[in-house]
Amino acid sequence: DTEVTQTPKHLVMGMTNKKSLKCEQHMGHRAMYWYKQKAKKPPELMFVYSYEKLSINESVPSRFSPECPNSSLLNLHLHALQPEDSALYLCASSPKPGETEAFFGQGTRLTVV
Amino acid sequence: KNQVEQSPQSLIILEGKNCTLQCNYTVSPFSNLRWYKQDTGRGPVSLTIMTFSENTKSNGRYTATLDADTKQSSLHITASQLSDSASYICVVSCEFSGGYNKLIFGAGTRLAVHP
């Protein structure tokens, strides 16, 4: 299994809703990442988890809350989002934090209305 | 400032033709360079990855080159197919603190292959 699986593929939520994005990998990777990508722009790093601990937070607003329940799962909890948060959210993993081969999931297309 | 610049921004070619995409970077300290293919609304898929000492790497119809002296890379696509239509992103890995390598993304080249 060489895949990073993200669910849901699409999500529409209101500004008062609470929702979660999920990411799963079974490659034994110990580093996992959340990226945000706006249309026609490169991905922007949001969070890095290293051995299930948050190691990098790129000054992301608190309405985005990451969680790493175990080495295979990564969640992104969403609350009180703004329409400008609408984007493609990508999860990625790599064998170790220092490893540079990152495998990306297919992304969740989020629309905030 | 760590930057990755790609050219052209967009490119249209006919099916069966070859094309070359360019990537210039100013990233230090350099760790490696990779090319990704990203279909619209999907996650990036790795095509090639090259370290400082590698000049050329191929993956099927894709051939990447790296000149670490001039800090330039290219991705050559031969005998293009309609399925090659996508964005091609150059990503340079930069050694970061705490044992983490930060990925510096280019803006991508949007390739359209027409029949």
Side-chain angles (χ1 to χ4, degrees), chain A residues 9 33 35 37 40-45 48 55-56 58 88 90 97-107 109, chain B residues 31-32 34 36 38 40-46 49 89 93 96-103 105-108 110:
Chain A
K9 286 186 171 54
Y33 314 82
Y35 286 85
Q37 187 177 24
K40 301 182 182 180
K41 298 288 187 181
E44 298 175 0
L45 181 66
V48 179
S55 59
I56 294 178
E58 292 281 312
L88 181 68
L90 293 166
E99 297 282 342
T100 55
E101 184 61 53
F103 293 79
F104 283 85
Q106 294 297 292
R109 172 67 64 188
Chain B
S31 181
N32 59 53
R34 66 194 76 188
Y36 282 92
Q38 185 175 24
T40 302
R42 310 295 292 275
V45 176
S46 180
I49 180 170
I89 305 174
S93 180
F96 207 57
S97 61
Y100 167 63
N101 283 275
K102 186 169 187 177
L103 302 181
F105 287 80
R110 294 159 59 84

Side-chain angles (χ1 to χ4, degrees), chain B residues 50-93:
Chain B
M50 290 184 291
T51 59
F52 186 86
S53 59
E54 295 177 293
N55 301 119
T56 303
K57 184 161 282 190
S58 293
N59 177 1
R61 294 181 296 104
Y62 301 103
T63 299
T65 65
L66 174 63
D67 185 333
D69 291 330
T70 61
K71 299 187 177 182
Q72 295 180 327
S73 176
S74 66
L75 180 69
H76 186 74
I77 305 174
T78 59
S80 61
Q81 300 176 359
L82 298 179
S83 58
D84 292 332
S85 297
S87 286
Y88 291 84
I89 305 174
C90 176
V91 182
V92 180
S93 180

Side-chain angles (χ1 to χ4, degrees), chain A residues 34-92:
Chain A
W34 280 115
Y35 286 85
K36 173 183 177 181
Q37 187 177 24
K38 302 286 276 186
K40 301 182 182 180
K41 298 288 187 181
E44 298 175 0
L45 181 66
M46 300 174 71
F47 302 104
V48 179
Y49 269 82
S50 170
Y51 296 97
E52 295 89 70
K53 294 190 187 307
L54 182 64
S55 59
I56 294 178
N57 176 342
E58 292 281 312
S59 303
V60 179
S62 59
R63 58 186 184 270
F64 296 91
S65 175
E67 178 198 19
C68 190
N70 59 56
S71 60
S72 298
L73 295 175
L74 184 66
N75 298 323
L76 186 63
H77 303 297
L78 314 172
H79 174 55
L81 295 193
Q82 303 296 311
E84 59 264 28
D85 295 321
S86 299
L88 181 68
Y89 287 84
L90 293 166
C91 173

